PDB file of all heavy atoms in Angstrom:
ATOM      1  N   ALA E 254     -23.503 -27.671  17.518  1.00 96.00           N
ATOM      2  CA  ALA E 254     -24.409 -28.306  16.560  1.00 96.00           C
ATOM      3  C   ALA E 254     -24.037 -29.776  16.491  1.00 96.00           C
ATOM      4  O   ALA E 254     -22.884 -30.120  16.250  1.00 96.00           O
ATOM      5  CB  ALA E 254     -24.268 -27.671  15.182  1.00 96.00           C
ATOM      6  N   CYS E 255     -24.992 -30.621  16.707  1.00 96.00           N
ATOM      7  CA  CYS E 255     -24.749 -32.066  16.668  1.00 96.00           C
ATOM      8  C   CYS E 255     -24.399 -32.479  15.237  1.00 96.00           C
ATOM      9  O   CYS E 255     -25.049 -32.032  14.282  1.00 96.00           O
ATOM     10  CB  CYS E 255     -25.998 -32.799  17.135  1.00 96.00           C
ATOM     11  SG  CYS E 255     -25.833 -34.595  17.099  1.00 96.00           S
ATOM     12  N   PRO E 256     -23.376 -33.329  15.058  1.00 95.00           N
ATOM     13  CA  PRO E 256     -23.009 -33.740  13.696  1.00 95.00           C
ATOM     14  C   PRO E 256     -24.069 -34.638  13.051  1.00 95.00           C
ATOM     15  O   PRO E 256     -23.988 -34.904  11.859  1.00 95.00           O
ATOM     16  CB  PRO E 256     -21.686 -34.490  13.894  1.00 95.00           C
ATOM     17  CG  PRO E 256     -21.679 -34.927  15.312  1.00 95.00           C
ATOM     18  CD  PRO E 256     -22.488 -33.902  16.072  1.00 95.00           C
ATOM     19  N   HIS E 257     -25.057 -35.094  13.826  1.00 96.00           N
ATOM     20  CA  HIS E 257     -26.113 -35.916  13.239  1.00 96.00           C
ATOM     21  C   HIS E 257     -27.080 -35.036  12.449  1.00 96.00           C
ATOM     22  O   HIS E 257     -27.053 -35.007  11.219  1.00 96.00           O
ATOM     23  CB  HIS E 257     -26.847 -36.699  14.353  1.00 96.00           C
ATOM     24  CG  HIS E 257     -27.969 -37.556  13.839  1.00 96.00           C
ATOM     25  ND1 HIS E 257     -29.120 -37.768  14.557  1.00 96.00           N
ATOM     26  CD2 HIS E 257     -28.107 -38.253  12.681  1.00 96.00           C
ATOM     27  CE1 HIS E 257     -29.923 -38.579  13.860  1.00 96.00           C
ATOM     28  NE2 HIS E 257     -29.322 -38.886  12.730  1.00 96.00           N
ATOM     29  N   ARG E 258     -27.875 -34.236  13.142  1.00 96.00           N
ATOM     30  CA  ARG E 258     -28.856 -33.420  12.424  1.00 96.00           C
ATOM     31  C   ARG E 258     -28.868 -31.982  12.909  1.00 96.00           C
ATOM     32  O   ARG E 258     -29.867 -31.277  12.733  1.00 96.00           O
ATOM     33  CB  ARG E 258     -30.245 -34.054  12.531  1.00 96.00           C
ATOM     34  CG  ARG E 258     -30.293 -35.484  11.924  1.00 96.00           C
ATOM     35  CD  ARG E 258     -31.159 -35.559  10.684  1.00 96.00           C
ATOM     36  NE  ARG E 258     -32.524 -35.186  10.992  1.00 96.00           N
ATOM     37  CZ  ARG E 258     -33.441 -36.017  11.502  1.00 96.00           C
ATOM     38  NH1 ARG E 258     -33.132 -37.261  11.744  1.00 96.00           N
ATOM     39  NH2 ARG E 258     -34.639 -35.593  11.757  1.00 96.00           N
ATOM     40  N   TRP E 279     -27.211 -39.253  20.703  1.00 98.00           N
ATOM     41  CA  TRP E 279     -25.808 -39.499  20.382  1.00 98.00           C
ATOM     42  C   TRP E 279     -24.982 -38.839  21.483  1.00 98.00           C
ATOM     43  O   TRP E 279     -25.306 -37.726  21.934  1.00 98.00           O
ATOM     44  CB  TRP E 279     -25.421 -38.891  19.031  1.00 98.00           C
ATOM     45  CG  TRP E 279     -26.036 -39.555  17.836  1.00 98.00           C
ATOM     46  CD1 TRP E 279     -27.191 -40.293  17.801  1.00 98.00           C
ATOM     47  CD2 TRP E 279     -25.523 -39.515  16.503  1.00 98.00           C
ATOM     48  NE1 TRP E 279     -27.448 -40.716  16.527  1.00 98.00           N
ATOM     49  CE2 TRP E 279     -26.430 -40.260  15.698  1.00 98.00           C
ATOM     50  CE3 TRP E 279     -24.414 -38.947  15.891  1.00 98.00           C
ATOM     51  CZ2 TRP E 279     -26.233 -40.427  14.332  1.00 98.00           C
ATOM     52  CZ3 TRP E 279     -24.213 -39.112  14.529  1.00 98.00           C
ATOM     53  CH2 TRP E 279     -25.117 -39.854  13.751  1.00 98.00           C
ATOM     54  N   THR E 280     -23.922 -39.514  21.886  1.00 98.00           N
ATOM     55  CA  THR E 280     -23.144 -39.036  23.022  1.00 98.00           C
ATOM     56  C   THR E 280     -21.700 -38.799  22.615  1.00 98.00           C
ATOM     57  O   THR E 280     -21.105 -39.611  21.899  1.00 98.00           O
ATOM     58  CB  THR E 280     -23.240 -40.069  24.167  1.00 98.00           C
ATOM     59  OG1 THR E 280     -24.628 -40.208  24.494  1.00 98.00           O
ATOM     60  CG2 THR E 280     -22.492 -39.615  25.404  1.00 98.00           C
ATOM     61  N   PHE E 281     -21.150 -37.668  23.063  1.00 97.00           N
ATOM     62  CA  PHE E 281     -19.802 -37.266  22.632  1.00 97.00           C
ATOM     63  C   PHE E 281     -18.907 -36.961  23.822  1.00 97.00           C
ATOM     64  O   PHE E 281     -19.351 -36.372  24.816  1.00 97.00           O
ATOM     65  CB  PHE E 281     -19.886 -36.008  21.755  1.00 97.00           C
ATOM     66  CG  PHE E 281     -20.820 -36.167  20.594  1.00 97.00           C
ATOM     67  CD1 PHE E 281     -22.144 -35.745  20.695  1.00 97.00           C
ATOM     68  CD2 PHE E 281     -20.386 -36.761  19.417  1.00 97.00           C
ATOM     69  CE1 PHE E 281     -23.022 -35.905  19.628  1.00 97.00           C
ATOM     70  CE2 PHE E 281     -21.264 -36.931  18.346  1.00 97.00           C
ATOM     71  CZ  PHE E 281     -22.587 -36.496  18.452  1.00 97.00           C
ATOM     72  N   ASP E 282     -17.627 -37.321  23.685  1.00 97.00           N
ATOM     73  CA  ASP E 282     -16.616 -36.902  24.655  1.00 97.00           C
ATOM     74  C   ASP E 282     -16.440 -35.392  24.489  1.00 97.00           C
ATOM     75  O   ASP E 282     -16.254 -34.913  23.369  1.00 97.00           O
ATOM     76  CB  ASP E 282     -15.302 -37.627  24.332  1.00 97.00           C
ATOM     77  CG  ASP E 282     -14.171 -37.213  25.236  1.00 97.00           C
ATOM     78  OD1 ASP E 282     -13.734 -36.034  25.176  1.00 97.00           O
ATOM     79  OD2 ASP E 282     -13.710 -38.050  26.011  1.00 97.00           O
ATOM     80  N   ASP E 285     -12.472 -34.228  23.005  1.00 94.00           N
ATOM     81  CA  ASP E 285     -12.078 -34.411  21.600  1.00 94.00           C
ATOM     82  C   ASP E 285     -13.285 -34.565  20.677  1.00 94.00           C
ATOM     83  O   ASP E 285     -13.134 -34.681  19.471  1.00 94.00           O
ATOM     84  CB  ASP E 285     -11.100 -35.593  21.442  1.00 94.00           C
ATOM     85  CG  ASP E 285     -11.711 -36.920  21.849  1.00 94.00           C
ATOM     86  OD1 ASP E 285     -12.936 -36.971  22.108  1.00 94.00           O
ATOM     87  OD2 ASP E 285     -10.963 -37.913  21.918  1.00 94.00           O
ATOM     88  N   GLY E 286     -14.492 -34.544  21.246  1.00 95.00           N
ATOM     89  CA  GLY E 286     -15.689 -34.588  20.412  1.00 95.00           C
ATOM     90  C   GLY E 286     -16.025 -35.965  19.887  1.00 95.00           C
ATOM     91  O   GLY E 286     -17.010 -36.137  19.158  1.00 95.00           O
ATOM     92  N   GLN E 287     -15.233 -36.969  20.238  1.00 95.00           N
ATOM     93  CA  GLN E 287     -15.453 -38.297  19.665  1.00 95.00           C
ATOM     94  C   GLN E 287     -16.779 -38.903  20.137  1.00 95.00           C
ATOM     95  O   GLN E 287     -17.121 -38.844  21.312  1.00 95.00           O
ATOM     96  CB  GLN E 287     -14.307 -39.232  20.056  1.00 95.00           C
ATOM     97  CG  GLN E 287     -14.334 -40.548  19.286  1.00 95.00           C
ATOM     98  CD  GLN E 287     -13.116 -41.396  19.594  1.00 95.00           C
ATOM     99  OE1 GLN E 287     -12.685 -41.489  20.745  1.00 95.00           O
ATOM    100  NE2 GLN E 287     -12.553 -42.005  18.565  1.00 95.00           N
ATOM    101  N   CYS E 288     -17.489 -39.496  19.181  1.00 97.00           N
ATOM    102  CA  CYS E 288     -18.778 -40.097  19.501  1.00 97.00           C
ATOM    103  C   CYS E 288     -18.565 -41.378  20.306  1.00 97.00           C
ATOM    104  O   CYS E 288     -17.703 -42.202  19.989  1.00 97.00           O
ATOM    105  CB  CYS E 288     -19.537 -40.405  18.194  1.00 97.00           C
ATOM    106  SG  CYS E 288     -21.213 -40.967  18.509  1.00 97.00           S
ATOM    107  N   GLN E 289     -19.344 -41.521  21.368  1.00 97.00           N
ATOM    108  CA  GLN E 289     -19.208 -42.675  22.258  1.00 97.00           C
ATOM    109  C   GLN E 289     -20.352 -43.661  22.073  1.00 97.00           C
ATOM    110  O   GLN E 289     -20.200 -44.833  22.352  1.00 97.00           O
ATOM    111  CB  GLN E 289     -19.210 -42.215  23.724  1.00 97.00           C
ATOM    112  CG  GLN E 289     -18.231 -41.103  24.039  1.00 97.00           C
ATOM    113  CD  GLN E 289     -16.793 -41.563  23.901  1.00 97.00           C
ATOM    114  OE1 GLN E 289     -16.429 -42.606  24.408  1.00 97.00           O
ATOM    115  NE2 GLN E 289     -15.993 -40.798  23.171  1.00 97.00           N
ATOM    116  N   LEU E 290     -21.481 -43.143  21.628  1.00 97.00           N
ATOM    117  CA  LEU E 290     -22.673 -43.992  21.622  1.00 97.00           C
ATOM    118  C   LEU E 290     -23.718 -43.446  20.659  1.00 97.00           C
ATOM    119  O   LEU E 290     -23.963 -42.239  20.609  1.00 97.00           O
ATOM    120  CB  LEU E 290     -23.252 -44.001  23.051  1.00 97.00           C
ATOM    121  CG  LEU E 290     -24.562 -44.738  23.270  1.00 97.00           C
ATOM    122  CD1 LEU E 290     -24.314 -46.241  23.310  1.00 97.00           C
ATOM    123  CD2 LEU E 290     -25.232 -44.275  24.565  1.00 97.00           C
ATOM    124  N   ILE E 291     -24.338 -44.379  19.891  1.00 98.00           N
ATOM    125  CA  ILE E 291     -25.514 -44.039  19.095  1.00 98.00           C
ATOM    126  C   ILE E 291     -26.614 -45.014  19.526  1.00 98.00           C
ATOM    127  O   ILE E 291     -26.588 -46.196  19.157  1.00 98.00           O
ATOM    128  CB  ILE E 291     -25.227 -44.143  17.581  1.00 98.00           C
ATOM    129  CG1 ILE E 291     -24.171 -43.090  17.187  1.00 98.00           C
ATOM    130  CG2 ILE E 291     -26.511 -43.951  16.775  1.00 98.00           C
ATOM    131  CD1 ILE E 291     -23.825 -43.066  15.703  1.00 98.00           C
ATOM    132  N   LEU E 294     -28.577 -47.816  17.282  1.00 97.00           N
ATOM    133  CA  LEU E 294     -27.932 -48.938  16.608  1.00 97.00           C
ATOM    134  C   LEU E 294     -28.286 -50.266  17.274  1.00 97.00           C
ATOM    135  O   LEU E 294     -28.271 -50.373  18.500  1.00 97.00           O
ATOM    136  CB  LEU E 294     -26.404 -48.770  16.623  1.00 97.00           C
ATOM    137  CG  LEU E 294     -25.836 -47.626  15.772  1.00 97.00           C
ATOM    138  CD1 LEU E 294     -24.329 -47.528  15.971  1.00 97.00           C
ATOM    139  CD2 LEU E 294     -26.164 -47.800  14.300  1.00 97.00           C
ATOM    140  N   ASP E 299     -22.898 -52.529  12.447  1.00 92.00           N
ATOM    141  CA  ASP E 299     -21.531 -52.248  12.858  1.00 92.00           C
ATOM    142  C   ASP E 299     -21.004 -50.887  12.390  1.00 92.00           C
ATOM    143  O   ASP E 299     -19.872 -50.773  11.979  1.00 92.00           O
ATOM    144  CB  ASP E 299     -20.593 -53.383  12.438  1.00 92.00           C
ATOM    145  CG  ASP E 299     -20.653 -53.597  10.931  1.00 92.00           C
ATOM    146  OD1 ASP E 299     -21.458 -52.891  10.267  1.00 92.00           O
ATOM    147  OD2 ASP E 299     -19.920 -54.456  10.419  1.00 92.00           O
ATOM    148  N   LEU E 300     -21.859 -49.871  12.440  1.00 94.00           N
ATOM    149  CA  LEU E 300     -21.399 -48.511  12.142  1.00 94.00           C
ATOM    150  C   LEU E 300     -20.291 -48.144  13.129  1.00 94.00           C
ATOM    151  O   LEU E 300     -20.419 -48.354  14.334  1.00 94.00           O
ATOM    152  CB  LEU E 300     -22.578 -47.535  12.282  1.00 94.00           C
ATOM    153  CG  LEU E 300     -22.232 -46.057  12.120  1.00 94.00           C
ATOM    154  CD1 LEU E 300     -21.879 -45.716  10.683  1.00 94.00           C
ATOM    155  CD2 LEU E 300     -23.394 -45.171  12.583  1.00 94.00           C
ATOM    156  N   LYS E 301     -19.178 -47.613  12.587  1.00 94.00           N
ATOM    157  CA  LYS E 301     -18.050 -47.276  13.461  1.00 94.00           C
ATOM    158  C   LYS E 301     -18.300 -45.933  14.163  1.00 94.00           C
ATOM    159  O   LYS E 301     -17.945 -44.865  13.670  1.00 94.00           O
ATOM    160  CB  LYS E 301     -16.756 -47.219  12.655  1.00 94.00           C
ATOM    161  CG  LYS E 301     -16.397 -48.537  12.022  1.00 94.00           C
ATOM    162  CD  LYS E 301     -14.976 -48.911  12.317  1.00 94.00           C
ATOM    163  CE  LYS E 301     -14.636 -50.345  11.894  1.00 94.00           C
ATOM    164  NZ  LYS E 301     -15.658 -51.115  11.174  1.00 94.00           N
ATOM    165  N   VAL E 302     -18.881 -46.052  15.328  1.00 95.00           N
ATOM    166  CA  VAL E 302     -19.270 -44.872  16.105  1.00 95.00           C
ATOM    167  C   VAL E 302     -18.074 -43.969  16.417  1.00 95.00           C
ATOM    168  O   VAL E 302     -18.163 -42.750  16.356  1.00 95.00           O
ATOM    169  CB  VAL E 302     -19.955 -45.347  17.414  1.00 95.00           C
ATOM    170  CG1 VAL E 302     -20.087 -44.217  18.399  1.00 95.00           C
ATOM    171  CG2 VAL E 302     -21.313 -45.946  17.099  1.00 95.00           C
ATOM    172  N   ASP E 303     -16.938 -44.601  16.697  1.00 94.00           N
ATOM    173  CA  ASP E 303     -15.765 -43.814  17.126  1.00 94.00           C
ATOM    174  C   ASP E 303     -15.101 -43.057  15.979  1.00 94.00           C
ATOM    175  O   ASP E 303     -14.131 -42.342  16.185  1.00 94.00           O
ATOM    176  CB  ASP E 303     -14.755 -44.694  17.855  1.00 94.00           C
ATOM    177  CG  ASP E 303     -14.283 -45.853  16.994  1.00 94.00           C
ATOM    178  OD1 ASP E 303     -14.752 -45.973  15.824  1.00 94.00           O
ATOM    179  OD2 ASP E 303     -13.456 -46.639  17.467  1.00 94.00           O
ATOM    180  N   ARG E 304     -15.619 -43.213  14.769  1.00 93.00           N
ATOM    181  CA  ARG E 304     -15.078 -42.425  13.654  1.00 93.00           C
ATOM    182  C   ARG E 304     -15.856 -41.121  13.488  1.00 93.00           C
ATOM    183  O   ARG E 304     -15.533 -40.295  12.645  1.00 93.00           O
ATOM    184  CB  ARG E 304     -15.103 -43.242  12.362  1.00 93.00           C
ATOM    185  CG  ARG E 304     -14.023 -44.322  12.359  1.00 93.00           C
ATOM    186  CD  ARG E 304     -13.927 -45.002  11.012  1.00 93.00           C
ATOM    187  NE  ARG E 304     -13.994 -44.032   9.913  1.00 93.00           N
ATOM    188  CZ  ARG E 304     -14.551 -44.296   8.734  1.00 93.00           C
ATOM    189  NH1 ARG E 304     -15.097 -45.473   8.511  1.00 93.00           N
ATOM    190  NH2 ARG E 304     -14.564 -43.389   7.782  1.00 93.00           N
ATOM    191  N   ILE E 305     -16.877 -40.951  14.274  1.00 94.00           N
ATOM    192  CA  ILE E 305     -17.696 -39.739  14.183  1.00 94.00           C
ATOM    193  C   ILE E 305     -17.269 -38.751  15.262  1.00 94.00           C
ATOM    194  O   ILE E 305     -17.027 -39.137  16.411  1.00 94.00           O
ATOM    195  CB  ILE E 305     -19.191 -40.098  14.357  1.00 94.00           C
ATOM    196  CG1 ILE E 305     -19.622 -41.020  13.217  1.00 94.00           C
ATOM    197  CG2 ILE E 305     -20.049 -38.838  14.411  1.00 94.00           C
ATOM    198  CD1 ILE E 305     -21.010 -41.593  13.396  1.00 94.00           C
ATOM    199  N   TYR E 306     -17.149 -37.514  14.891  1.00 94.00           N
ATOM    200  CA  TYR E 306     -16.753 -36.478  15.852  1.00 94.00           C
ATOM    201  C   TYR E 306     -17.695 -35.285  15.816  1.00 94.00           C
ATOM    202  O   TYR E 306     -18.088 -34.835  14.735  1.00 94.00           O
ATOM    203  CB  TYR E 306     -15.346 -35.949  15.524  1.00 94.00           C
ATOM    204  CG  TYR E 306     -14.240 -36.917  15.871  1.00 94.00           C
ATOM    205  CD1 TYR E 306     -13.856 -37.896  14.969  1.00 94.00           C
ATOM    206  CD2 TYR E 306     -13.598 -36.852  17.099  1.00 94.00           C
ATOM    207  CE1 TYR E 306     -12.847 -38.792  15.272  1.00 94.00           C
ATOM    208  CE2 TYR E 306     -12.587 -37.739  17.419  1.00 94.00           C
ATOM    209  CZ  TYR E 306     -12.212 -38.702  16.496  1.00 94.00           C
ATOM    210  OH  TYR E 306     -11.217 -39.590  16.802  1.00 94.00           O
ATOM    211  N   ALA E 307     -18.021 -34.770  16.986  1.00 94.00           N
ATOM    212  CA  ALA E 307     -18.610 -33.432  17.055  1.00 94.00           C
ATOM    213  C   ALA E 307     -17.414 -32.484  16.959  1.00 94.00           C
ATOM    214  O   ALA E 307     -16.346 -32.807  17.458  1.00 94.00           O
ATOM    215  CB  ALA E 307     -19.333 -33.251  18.382  1.00 94.00           C
ATOM    216  N   GLY E 308     -17.559 -31.346  16.306  1.00 92.00           N
ATOM    217  CA  GLY E 308     -16.425 -30.427  16.162  1.00 92.00           C
ATOM    218  C   GLY E 308     -15.961 -29.963  17.531  1.00 92.00           C
ATOM    219  O   GLY E 308     -16.750 -29.426  18.300  1.00 92.00           O
ATOM    220  N   SER E 309     -14.694 -30.183  17.853  1.00 94.00           N
ATOM    221  CA  SER E 309     -14.199 -29.687  19.137  1.00 94.00           C
ATOM    222  C   SER E 309     -13.024 -28.753  18.890  1.00 94.00           C
ATOM    223  O   SER E 309     -12.371 -28.826  17.851  1.00 94.00           O
ATOM    224  CB  SER E 309     -13.800 -30.849  20.041  1.00 94.00           C
ATOM    225  OG  SER E 309     -12.531 -31.331  19.674  1.00 94.00           O
ATOM    226  N   GLY E 330     -16.367 -32.227   5.079  1.00 47.00           N
ATOM    227  CA  GLY E 330     -16.482 -33.593   5.576  1.00 47.00           C
ATOM    228  C   GLY E 330     -16.671 -33.554   7.073  1.00 47.00           C
ATOM    229  O   GLY E 330     -16.120 -34.361   7.805  1.00 47.00           O
ATOM    230  N   ALA E 331     -17.400 -32.564   7.514  1.00 56.00           N
ATOM    231  CA  ALA E 331     -17.631 -32.380   8.945  1.00 56.00           C
ATOM    232  C   ALA E 331     -18.143 -33.660   9.557  1.00 56.00           C
ATOM    233  O   ALA E 331     -18.873 -34.417   8.932  1.00 56.00           O
ATOM    234  CB  ALA E 331     -18.644 -31.261   9.149  1.00 56.00           C
ATOM    235  N   GLY E 332     -17.764 -33.889  10.786  1.00 63.00           N
ATOM    236  CA  GLY E 332     -18.293 -35.047  11.461  1.00 63.00           C
ATOM    237  C   GLY E 332     -17.328 -36.216  11.474  1.00 63.00           C
ATOM    238  O   GLY E 332     -17.462 -37.128  12.269  1.00 63.00           O
ATOM    239  N   PHE E 333     -16.314 -36.191  10.592  1.00 64.00           N
ATOM    240  CA  PHE E 333     -15.391 -37.311  10.567  1.00 64.00           C
ATOM    241  C   PHE E 333     -13.954 -36.881  10.840  1.00 64.00           C
ATOM    242  O   PHE E 333     -13.030 -37.625  10.625  1.00 64.00           O
ATOM    243  CB  PHE E 333     -15.459 -38.041   9.224  1.00 64.00           C
ATOM    244  CG  PHE E 333     -16.807 -38.651   8.995  1.00 64.00           C
ATOM    245  CD1 PHE E 333     -17.719 -38.045   8.144  1.00 64.00           C
ATOM    246  CD2 PHE E 333     -17.181 -39.804   9.677  1.00 64.00           C
ATOM    247  CE1 PHE E 333     -18.973 -38.598   7.959  1.00 64.00           C
ATOM    248  CE2 PHE E 333     -18.445 -40.350   9.486  1.00 64.00           C
ATOM    249  CZ  PHE E 333     -19.339 -39.749   8.630  1.00 64.00           C
ATOM    250  N   SER E 334     -13.793 -35.636  11.267  1.00 70.00           N
ATOM    251  CA  SER E 334     -12.423 -35.167  11.436  1.00 70.00           C
ATOM    252  C   SER E 334     -12.081 -35.013  12.911  1.00 70.00           C
ATOM    253  O   SER E 334     -12.870 -34.524  13.700  1.00 70.00           O
ATOM    254  CB  SER E 334     -12.229 -33.840  10.701  1.00 70.00           C
ATOM    255  OG  SER E 334     -13.261 -32.966  11.058  1.00 70.00           O
ATOM    256  N   LYS E 335     -10.880 -35.468  13.239  1.00 72.00           N
ATOM    257  CA  LYS E 335     -10.376 -35.315  14.599  1.00 72.00           C
ATOM    258  C   LYS E 335     -10.124 -33.839  14.864  1.00 72.00           C
ATOM    259  O   LYS E 335      -9.915 -33.059  13.938  1.00 72.00           O
ATOM    260  CB  LYS E 335      -9.061 -36.084  14.732  1.00 72.00           C
ATOM    261  CG  LYS E 335      -9.287 -37.567  14.721  1.00 72.00           C
ATOM    262  CD  LYS E 335      -8.051 -38.274  15.204  1.00 72.00           C
ATOM    263  CE  LYS E 335      -8.326 -39.750  15.162  1.00 72.00           C
ATOM    264  NZ  LYS E 335      -7.202 -40.592  15.187  1.00 72.00           N
ATOM    265  N   PRO E 336     -10.112 -33.454  16.158  1.00 74.00           N
ATOM    266  CA  PRO E 336      -9.885 -32.039  16.469  1.00 74.00           C
ATOM    267  C   PRO E 336      -8.491 -31.576  16.061  1.00 74.00           C
ATOM    268  O   PRO E 336      -7.562 -32.364  16.031  1.00 74.00           O
ATOM    269  CB  PRO E 336     -10.037 -31.999  17.986  1.00 74.00           C
ATOM    270  CG  PRO E 336      -9.894 -33.407  18.451  1.00 74.00           C
ATOM    271  CD  PRO E 336     -10.344 -34.280  17.333  1.00 74.00           C
TER     272      PRO E 336
END
Side-chain angles (χ1 to χ4, degrees):
C255 179
H257 179 214
R258 300 247 300 277
W279 291 24
T280 301
F281 306 95
D282 177 294
D285 63 8
Q287 191 174 41
C288 187
Q289 309 293 312
L290 176 77
I291 295 182
L294 292 176
D299 58 357
L300 175 70
K301 298 230 170 5
V302 167
D303 58 0
R304 286 188 43 213
I305 297 172
Y306 287 86
S309 80
F333 296 102
S334 50
K335 289 195 180 162

